[in-house]
Amino acid sequence: MFESLSDGLQSAFKSLSGKGKLTEGNMRDGLDIVQKSMLEADVSYSVVQDFMKRVSEKALGKRVLLSLRPHEELVNIVHSELISILGPVDPSLHLKSEGPTIIMLCGLQGSGKTTTCGKLSQLLKEENIKPLLVAADLQRPAAIEQLHVIGRQLDVPVYSEPDNKDPVAVCKAGVDKARAEGARVVILDTAGRLAIDEELMSELKRIDKKVSPDQVYLVVDGMTGQDAVNSAGKFNETLELDGVIMTKLDGDARGGALLSVKHVTGVPIKFIGTGEHFDALEPFRPEGMAGRILQ
Ligand code: GDP
């Protein structure tokens, strides 16, 4: 669904004149265009500054291939740097060969965790793996029932204890059940809050300590821009994240937050959510995202 570097940006770059070498002079206009485009895409300012520095260092004094003009060379450098910092690509769930692989989803309320449980279940079912879902979001009143609905739709089991107020105990019991039943994967749907707070962080830390998940993924709402970046930093300080899943990239958002979140957490972007349905989960592709950010 995303194109490579847009025609608009390509033609704006054509204003760069001269041949043979990239210099500060002939690069300035092009880099200004890139900077503006990234800020408009909601990439955070400090990340844009870092990126511009990297590109300038790579480009300065670079002899331009005979077949290219400076603007084409600069486009190539910008594009490949963006792809390099958005990577590496790692859509694997790193399933263990034995015992249940425990996947913990965390994130703010409304970021898309429960929906993503369904999407990951669908993905696993395509590989003939039936996960057990654990309803550990005891904050959002409808979350447990929502997970049961997903379980029924996809024919995957859901573990819940509606009367238990302790999410740590629910996760532990869910994992024990998965172990006893020989499930290959157990996915923990943890609670979020409207904003980061101590209670949330302490709850997640306790779950993390109690069940030692194999993979911890942060689910981030791609429409929330700068807020996503701030919260991602906090989640990453509290838990050792293994990856990020950015949702709601089916809307107008240019997805610049994804670059900032990658920069802040340093962990791979695993998947992007592109809709509300179970099949709307795509393995992350830096090339497509680079084109979208640099429109
Ligand atoms: P949770 O509180 O983190 O569990 O969030 P939910 O899974 O309940 O999702 C919140 C809302 O976002 C729901 O209305 C979902 O249908 C919607 N949603 C989740 N992922 C996506 C996505 O990738 N695209 C769109 N458009 N909506 C999504």
Side-chain angles (χ1 to χ4, degrees), residues 90-95 101-108 111-113 116 120 123-124 185-190 204 208 213-220 235-236 239-246 265 267-271 281:
D90 177 20
S92 167
L93 298 175
H94 298 283
L95 301 190
T101 300
I102 306 168
I103 298 176
M104 173 171 166
L105 298 186
C106 60
L108 291 179
S111 59
K113 294 177 295 301
T116 303
L120 290 175
L123 201 72
L124 288 162
V185 181
V186 49
I187 304 178
L188 311 177
D189 183 26
T190 68
L204 293 172
D208 186 46
D214 301 291
Q215 298 283 301
V216 181
Y217 299 147
L218 175 66
V219 179
V220 184
F235 276 103
N236 195 43
L239 300 163
E240 231 172 87
L241 297 178
D242 297 289
V244 169
I245 298 174
M246 189 165 268
T265 62
V267 297
I269 309 290
K270 309 284 289 185
F271 297 99
L281 188 73

Side-chain angles (χ1 to χ4, degrees), residues 107-116 119 137 140 143 146 189-190 192 219 246-251 272-276 280:
L108 291 179
Q109 207 168 86
S111 59
K113 294 177 295 301
T114 309
T115 311
T116 303
K119 293 177 178 182
D137 181 350
R140 198 159 54 81
Q146 187 185 344
D189 183 26
T190 68
V219 179
M246 189 165 268
T247 61
K248 308 190 194 180
L249 288 178
D250 44 316
I272 59 170
T274 55
E276 297 185 74

